[in-house]
Every structure is written in structure tokens, then in C-alpha cells.
Amino acid sequence: MKKVTTLGQFIIERQADFQYAKGELSRLLRDIGIAAKIVNREVNKAGLVDILGEHGTVNSHGEKVKKLDVYANEQFISALGAGGETCAIASEENDELVPVTTDVSRNAKYLVCVDPLDGSSNIDVNVSIGTIFSIYRRANLDGALSEKDFLQNGTAQVASGYIIYGSSTMLVYTTGKGVNGFTLDPSIGEFCLSHPDMKCPGTGKIYSINEGNYVHFPEGVKQYIKYCQEEDESTKRPYSSRYIGSLVADFHRNLLKGGIFIYPSTAKSPKGKLRLLYECNPLAFIIEQAGGKASDGKKRILDIVPTALHQRTPLFIGSVEMVTKAEELMRAYSEQTV
Ligand code: P6P
């Protein structure tokens, strides 16, 4: 019988990698895994909501049906609070930071940034969606907790990862010692190691960008799209355009197959659309650990000094050779206006 390594077993086996106290990360990732299983259960029946009742109404069991992203947010906040390792949460769903005030969390040292259900608008059309998380340790354990505790560079992340609720549900994470992927086995209710030591191919044939915004793209992005579409056998161009409007799904495919995802500045989002703390930083940590690259078109994402919980940034992320090429064109055409 093939050896099955559950997420819990793997974390314990790899505790030596963790630079802080042994049990802390295990419990933190366990808490995230628990919330992910609960959210997965609800996401999987989302299509039935119309039968069980519209969002915001009462279903056939008399339970109030919540919008799934609100539900997911509540599950992650509740699981992290019950776990006792988290002192505060920055969530896409909450304007302000969410202090964790449960008794068990009195001495907690960790901060969690989370996008509880990214791409939730895709649920109604059965497209894969995801949760993205990023874990920091409080730099200053004295003094009152404040937003400033969260404004650490991405290089200070203790761990980061995502859950993709797709044809199967996977949890992918890093603690700075490589990237490992776990697939949920519903028959035993465990995330099992399925993708050990994940690596992003140095190059690829997929580019992911919403070309509907083309007219507002920086000239360097327009030139990169043109480069992707040119015929050139030696570099296997033209590449294929793949964009499903769900960041975790587009990222996960490009991580496995090689490719580049770009969400640049646009007229509607002059600083980009995606959020630094709970979308770009965690995925940048993952991609670098898998041998890929992530920048805002010019600067390494992990080196950006955050100034606000929900700040946005342009994002160029994926295979190192593809991101480097896009950055070259951004530099070459940086003076040209849109
Ligand atoms: P657009 C979903 O709303 C999301 O935040 C990401 O998951 C996705 O990559 C992006 O926005 C899609 O944005 O403007 O192309 O629809």
C-alpha cells in the first residue's frame, strides 16, 4: 500500500525546518487546514444554494444562507481564534485588523493575512476559487497591537500558502524550505501529500492577463503581449493565452506547467487590482521558493514596504525567464505613456 503522508504528519516531520518554537507552526497550519475543510464542504454545495435558498435567506434546514466569502471569512477567523497561535488577522473581508481575543490566544505571537475566498464571483459558474494566506510573527511583542504590526516586508513571512477549491481541493504552502502540495482525500477527511517539492518550470508557453484592459496597459505590457503572440520556433512562440479570472486557479496552473500571470496597472486600477498583503506577498513567497519570480514589473514583490493593510500593487508572477522578459520590456518602454 502506498505510504500516505497527511498534512499533520508532514508538518511534524518538518518541524526542524521551522525557526521558531516547534509546535507553533504545526498548530497554525492545522487551524488553517481545519477551516479549509469546512469551507470546502460549503463551496462544493454552492451550486445547490439556489435549491436550498438564495444568499441571505433561510435554507430548507432553517439555516440562514450566508454569502460564501462572508462564511469563509468567519470560518478562518473562528479556526485561528480557537487554535491559540494567532493574535490578529488582516482579512480582505474586514476594513480594519481583527484582533483575536480568545483566552487561548492570550500569548499568541502570529499575525495572519488572508483572502478567505478569492474569486468568489466565479462560484456561480463553477470555476475554481481559492483562499490565500500569509503568516508573520509580531516583530514587537510589547506594546499595543496595531496595523503597523502587519506592515512588514514580504521577506518577513514565516509561511504562506493557498487552498484551491477545484476539481480536487489542494492546500499548497511554504515555510521557506520549498513548496509542498496536499490534496484533500474526502474519504478520510485529510490533506495528503500529493505534490512534494513543487518547482515552477524556468519557462513556459502560457500567458495570463485580462486583455480586455489592453488599451489602458503600460506600453511595456503591450509589447510583452505582442512578444507572446509572435511566431518564433526557437522560443516555442506564440504562447497560449489562459485567463479564467480566478487568481489562485491561474497561479496554480502556471506554477505547475510554467507560465506568467500579469495584472498590471490599468485605468480602473492605476496601482493594480491585487492586494499586496494577502494576495501578492503570499504567492510571491511560494513562487520564489519554487524557483520562479514575482515583481510589480520593476521591483521584487517581497521587497515592497507595505504602508496600508489593503494596498494594491501590479503583479507579474510565474516562470523566471518569462517574468524577466516582461520586466525587460517594461524597462525599455517605461518612458512611453499609455
Ligand atoms: P479582472 C477575482 O475578483 C480577482 O480578485 C482575482 O482572483 C482575479 O485574478 C482578478 O480579480 C480578475 O480581475 O479585472 O480580470 O476580472
Side-chain angles (χ1 to χ4, degrees):
M1 175 149 159
K2 190 168 175 296
K3 180 176 183 295
V4 170
T5 302
T6 66
L7 175 62
Q9 289 164 330
F10 185 85
I11 293 167
I12 289 167
E13 285 168 12
R14 302 288 287 267
Q15 275 190 127
D17 294 348
F18 191 44
Q19 53 190 319
Y20 300 107
K22 296 294 170 230
E24 291 171 348
L25 179 70
S26 310
R27 288 188 290 274
L28 242 176
L29 287 168
R30 174 208 61 198
D31 302 340
I32 288 173
I34 290 168
K37 291 180 202 173
I38 295 169
V39 170
N40 176 65
R41 182 187 61 200
E42 293 307 303
V43 164
N44 280 345
K45 69 183 181 188
L48 297 174
V49 163
D50 294 345
I51 301 169
L52 300 175
E54 293 294 326
H55 293 317
T57 58
V58 172
N59 67 21
S60 57
H61 309 287
E63 299 148 351
K64 191 165 176 286
V65 177
K66 295 189 181 84
K67 274 176 66 66
L68 266 179
D69 36 15
V70 173
Y71 176 81
N73 193 43
E74 290 170 355
Q75 293 310 314
F76 279 96
I77 291 173
S78 164
L80 292 168
E85 298 302 335
T86 306
C87 55
I89 298 162
S91 168
E92 197 264 350
E93 291 292 326
N94 298 80
D95 291 342
E96 309 297 326
L97 69 88
V98 179
V100 176
T101 55
T102 51
D103 287 346
V104 289
S105 307
R106 202 192 325 275
N107 301 316
K109 305 180 186 67
Y110 293 89
L111 306 163
V112 178
C113 305
V114 64
D115 186 352
L117 207 57
D118 178 76
S120 51
S121 57
N122 290 303
I123 292 175
D124 303 343
V125 294
N126 218 9
V127 163
S128 301
I129 51 179
T131 297
I132 312 170
F133 63 88
S134 171
I135 300 172
Y136 290 87
R137 201 174 152 85
R138 274 192 80 184
N140 167 16
L141 292 174
D142 305 323
L145 192 68
S146 76
E147 184 173 299
K148 285 194 181 63
D149 286 284
F150 283 91
L151 303 183
Q152 303 181 44
N153 281 30
T155 48
Q157 289 175 97
V158 164
S160 79
Y162 61 89
I163 296 104
I164 178 167
Y165 309 97
S167 47
S168 63
T169 294
M170 277 190 71
L171 186 151
V172 177
Y173 83 93
T174 184
T175 60
K177 302 277 185 185
V179 179
N180 292 282
F182 300 78
T183 299
L184 182 63
D185 179 341
S187 68
I188 57 172
E190 291 283 2
F191 281 104
C192 301
L193 182 64
S194 54
H195 295 66
D197 195 23
M198 296 171 79
K199 293 295 178 197
C200 180
T203 190
K205 293 185 57 187
I206 295 171
Y207 70 103
S208 307
I209 187 167
N210 183 344
E211 296 190 52
N213 297 318
Y214 182 85
V215 294
H216 299 298
F217 285 159
E219 186 56 30
V221 172
K222 292 180 179 176
Q223 291 296 323
Y224 183 69
I225 292 172
K226 191 168 146 214
Y227 172 84
C228 292
Q229 295 171 344
E230 283 167 350
E231 299 271 348
D232 178 275
E233 207 165 310
S234 67
T235 52
K236 300 192 172 69
R237 286 179 288 151
Y239 297 150
S240 297
S241 173
R242 292 286 183 275
Y243 188 80
I244 56 174
S246 186
L247 173 60
V248 173
D250 280 320
F251 175 84
H252 184 71
R253 179 201 54 239
N254 292 359
L255 167 60
L256 292 174
K257 292 178 174 270
I260 183 171
F261 173 97
I262 301 175
Y263 206 109
S265 58
T266 66
K268 192 175 159 200
S269 310
K271 292 192 183 304
K273 174 181 183 182
L274 302 175
R275 313 289 185 154
L276 177 62
L277 262 63
Y278 41 78
E279 290 175 326
C280 301
N281 266 339
L283 296 183
F285 190 17
I286 291 263
I287 204 74
E288 288 198 1
Q289 284 290 311
K293 192 173 187 183
S295 76
D296 63 3
K298 298 182 177 67
K299 182 173 183 180
R300 185 185 181 217
I301 291 288
L302 296 181
D303 288 338
I304 296 174
V305 180
T307 53
L309 282 187
H310 300 286
Q311 78 182 65
R312 301 172 193 267
T313 174
L315 179 65
F316 294 60
I317 191 166
S319 296
V320 58
E321 290 174 31
M322 300 176 85
V323 173
T324 301
K325 180 64 183 177
E327 289 171 342
E328 278 169 17
L329 292 169
M330 285 293 283
R331 267 194 304 277
Y333 291 87
S334 58
E335 300 318 316
Q336 294 206 18
T337 53
V338 169

